């Protein structure tokens, strides 16, 4: 620690290096940019840690760089190291206290987790309860390949909502995560702007040419906690305020074109957008018009290869409807309904016929 302090006194890194490190740490912990917490896989946080350590070695340390190191260690689950760096940071008191609370919550949850262990924890802001948390638990006897570092990682087996009182954890709600996955990430954010955070789990599976994903959302309601799940996307999903109205959307993409003689990589990516409203996931297409404007070009190129494809026609009709081009939309819908009225109407009305990715 004395060496670190000495480097702080002897030199200071350029401001652009400090800003870069904070952005890197923010992306790893996904805290300032999207208002989310605990969102990065450990491998990304490990990489951010190595890059920031290299910057310290080259330019010297500073309180801002210590903040960055505290955040990446927090994302790695290395809470003791995170607290040490937080005490040297430019946010020393508040940051160290917050990480200490997380460390205590993780330890308390581990005490009652029995055969499972805590993978990550995140505090949930709530208007009526002050010490509410979510946690991902994993089976310590089961690891899966993690392609990014050619090693292996634990993957969540259960989502828990729990409270803390007197240093002890009390489980409020629990949901098993039964799917075979390569990566699970825990977010805390107020999806519907009601003043209470939802716990969001981003689930990923690494395939050879695709990365299927899905979201699980835990939310507090009048009758307790409920769990909602999106359809399975065929690419990594996102949590983002796509229309900049202050409310986050959950989204992803489906590879479409039933009759296309194309590989998965060559299929059009059709956007699937959700909003979280009144305790449930609802269609959010009209909040992401730019996505549908972009997909029209892909759909029309694909139709030159497959002119009578139900999915291409149905999705083109829906995209045109989202964009307000209703006359064109109804004309394309009529063509799709000649192939399958039921599926065409489902997509037209914002339904999701793709419950699981093909081949699952």
């Amino acid at each position: 620690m004395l060496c670190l302090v000495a480097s702080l006194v002897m030199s200071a890194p350029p401001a652009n290096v400090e800003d870069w490190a904070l952005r890197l740490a923010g992306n790893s912990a996904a805290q300032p940019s999207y208002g989310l917490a605990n969102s990065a896989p450990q491998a990304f946080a490990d990489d951010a840690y190595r890059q920031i350590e290299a910057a310290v070695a080259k330019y010297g340390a500073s309180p801002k760089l210590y903040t960055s190191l505290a955040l990446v260690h927090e994302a790695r689950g290395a809470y003791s190291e995170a607290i040490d760096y937080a005490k040297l940071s430019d946010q020393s008191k508040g940051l160290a206290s917050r990480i200490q609370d997380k460390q205590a919550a993780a330890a308390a949850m581990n005490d009652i987790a029995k055969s499972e262990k805590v993978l990550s924890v995140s505090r949930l802001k709530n208007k009526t309860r002050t010490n509410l948390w979510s946690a991902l638990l994993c089976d310590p006897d089961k690891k899966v390949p993690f392609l990014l570092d050619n090693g292996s990682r634990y993957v969540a087996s259960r989502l828990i909502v729990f409270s803390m009182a007197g240093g002890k954890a009390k489980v409020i709600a629990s949901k098993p995560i039964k799917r075979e996955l390569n990566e699970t990430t825990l977010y805390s954010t107020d999806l519907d702007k009601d003043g209470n955070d939802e716990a969001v789990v981003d689930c990923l599976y690494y395939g050879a040419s695709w990365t299927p994903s899905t979201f699980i959302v835990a939310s507090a309601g009048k009758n307790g906690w409920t769990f909602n799940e999106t359809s399975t996307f065929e690419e990594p999903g996102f949590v983002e305020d796509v229309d900049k109205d202050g409310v986050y959307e959950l989204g992803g993409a489906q590879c479409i074109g039933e009759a296309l003689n194309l590989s998965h990589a060559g299929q059009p990516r059709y956007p699937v957008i959700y909003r979280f409203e009144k305790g449930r996931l609802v269609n959010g297409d009209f909040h992401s018009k730019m996505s549908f404007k972009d997909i029209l070009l892909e759909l029309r190129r694909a139709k030159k290869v497959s002119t009578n494809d139900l999915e291409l026609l149905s999705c083109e009709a829906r995209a045109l409807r989202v964009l307000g081009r209703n006359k064109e939309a109804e004309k394309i819908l009529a063509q799709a309904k000649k192939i399958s009225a039921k599926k065409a109407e489902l997509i037209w009305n914002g339904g999701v016929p793709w419950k699981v990715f093909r081949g699952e």
Side-chain angles (χ1 to χ4, degrees), residues 307-346:
T307 58
N308 202 35
D309 187 294
L310 172 62
E311 284 191 350
L312 295 179
L313 290 167
S314 300
C315 291
E316 182 182 5
R318 175 65 181 176
L320 288 166
R321 184 182 184 186
V322 170
L323 295 170
R325 294 161 61 175
N326 294 327
K327 288 186 177 180
E328 294 174 80
E330 289 169 3
K331 182 179 179 180
I332 301 296
L333 174 65
Q335 295 177 47
K337 289 173 74 172
K338 290 177 182 178
I339 305 170
S340 172
K342 183 177 180 181
K343 188 169 182 178
E345 286 282 0
L346 177 63

Side-chain angles (χ1 to χ4, degrees), residues 38-340:
N38 254 15
S39 71
Q42 186 176 344
F44 292 118
D46 289 346
D47 183 62
Y49 164 62
R50 288 190 290 267
Q51 291 186 59
I52 296 171
E53 279 282 275
V56 171
K58 182 175 181 178
Y59 297 107
S62 72
K64 283 189 176 181
L65 285 181
Y66 287 137
T67 297
S68 300
L69 286 168
L71 290 173
V72 294
H73 277 298
E74 179 187 4
R76 297 174 66 229
Y79 298 129
S80 295
E81 291 90 338
I83 292 166
D84 288 340
Y85 281 116
K87 289 177 180 177
L88 296 170
S89 75
D90 60 348
Q91 304 174 31
S92 56
K93 186 175 180 180
L95 182 58
S97 176
R98 181 176 64 74
I99 299 172
Q100 286 169 338
D101 287 345
K102 181 176 282 190
Q103 183 181 43
M109 191 67 239
N110 263 326
D111 287 344
I112 63 171
K114 298 181 180 179
S115 62
E116 295 171 302
K117 76 172 188 178
V118 172
L119 188 64
S120 59
V121 296
S122 185
R123 187 188 287 273
L124 294 165
K125 291 182 292 184
N126 188 277
K127 291 186 293 187
T128 58
R129 306 187 75 153
T130 57
N131 213 349
L132 198 62
W133 296 79
S134 61
L136 288 178
L137 304 186
C138 67
D139 180 349
D141 296 324
K142 184 178 181 181
K143 287 188 177 182
V144 296
F146 195 87
L147 304 184
L148 294 178
D149 63 359
N150 296 316
S152 60
R153 295 287 181 201
Y154 295 111
V155 173
S157 57
R158 188 179 302 275
L159 170 61
I160 298 285
V161 177
F162 67 102
S163 60
M164 285 287 292
K168 295 184 180 296
K170 180 181 179 181
V171 174
I172 297 172
S174 171
K175 178 179 176 59
I177 300 174
K178 298 179 180 180
R179 310 179 69 176
E180 291 294 324
L181 300 163
N182 292 89
E183 181 186 313
T184 43
T185 301
L186 181 63
Y187 301 81
S188 294
T189 189
D190 184 359
L191 290 175
D192 53 3
K193 297 300 177 185
D194 66 349
N196 297 320
D197 277 353
E198 282 71 46
V200 182
V201 184
D202 185 0
C203 306
L204 285 173
Y205 173 82
Y206 293 116
S209 64
W210 54 11
T211 310
S213 63
T214 190
F215 288 104
I216 300 170
V217 179
S219 61
K222 293 180 180 179
N223 299 315
W225 284 77
T226 58
F227 297 90
N228 289 267
E229 189 167 350
T230 66
S231 62
T232 302
F233 312 123
E234 291 177 319
E235 292 197 337
F238 62 82
V239 180
E240 188 177 348
D241 180 7
V242 294
D243 59 349
K244 310 303 180 188
D245 68 346
V247 179
Y248 294 110
E249 284 76 35
L250 305 174
Q254 290 293 337
C255 300
I256 61 170
E258 292 180 326
L260 281 175
N261 187 24
L262 294 172
S263 70
H264 165 82
Q267 288 179 288
R269 268 53 173 171
Y270 182 76
V272 180
I273 312 295
Y274 290 91
R275 297 261 285 200
F276 189 75
E277 297 177 357
K278 298 180 179 179
R280 63 191 185 95
L281 291 163
V282 300
N283 182 278
D285 288 355
F286 287 90
H287 295 275
S288 187
K289 291 188 177 183
M290 184 57 69
S291 300
F292 290 91
K293 184 177 181 180
D294 292 341
I295 193 63
L296 273 180
L297 295 175
E298 285 191 60
L299 291 172
R300 287 171 176 173
R301 280 195 294 265
K303 280 173 61 181
K304 293 179 181 179
V305 179
S306 180
T307 58
N308 202 35
D309 187 294
L310 172 62
E311 284 191 350
L312 295 179
L313 290 167
S314 300
C315 291
E316 182 182 5
R318 175 65 181 176
L320 288 166
R321 184 182 184 186
V322 170
L323 295 170
R325 294 161 61 175
N326 294 327
K327 288 186 177 180
E328 294 174 80
E330 289 169 3
K331 182 179 179 180
I332 301 296
L333 174 65
Q335 295 177 47
K337 289 173 74 172
K338 290 177 182 178
I339 305 170
S340 172

Side-chain angles (χ1 to χ4, degrees), residues 27-43:
N27 289 335
S28 296
Q31 291 188 23
S33 57
Y34 291 131
L36 308 175
N38 254 15
S39 71
Q42 186 176 344

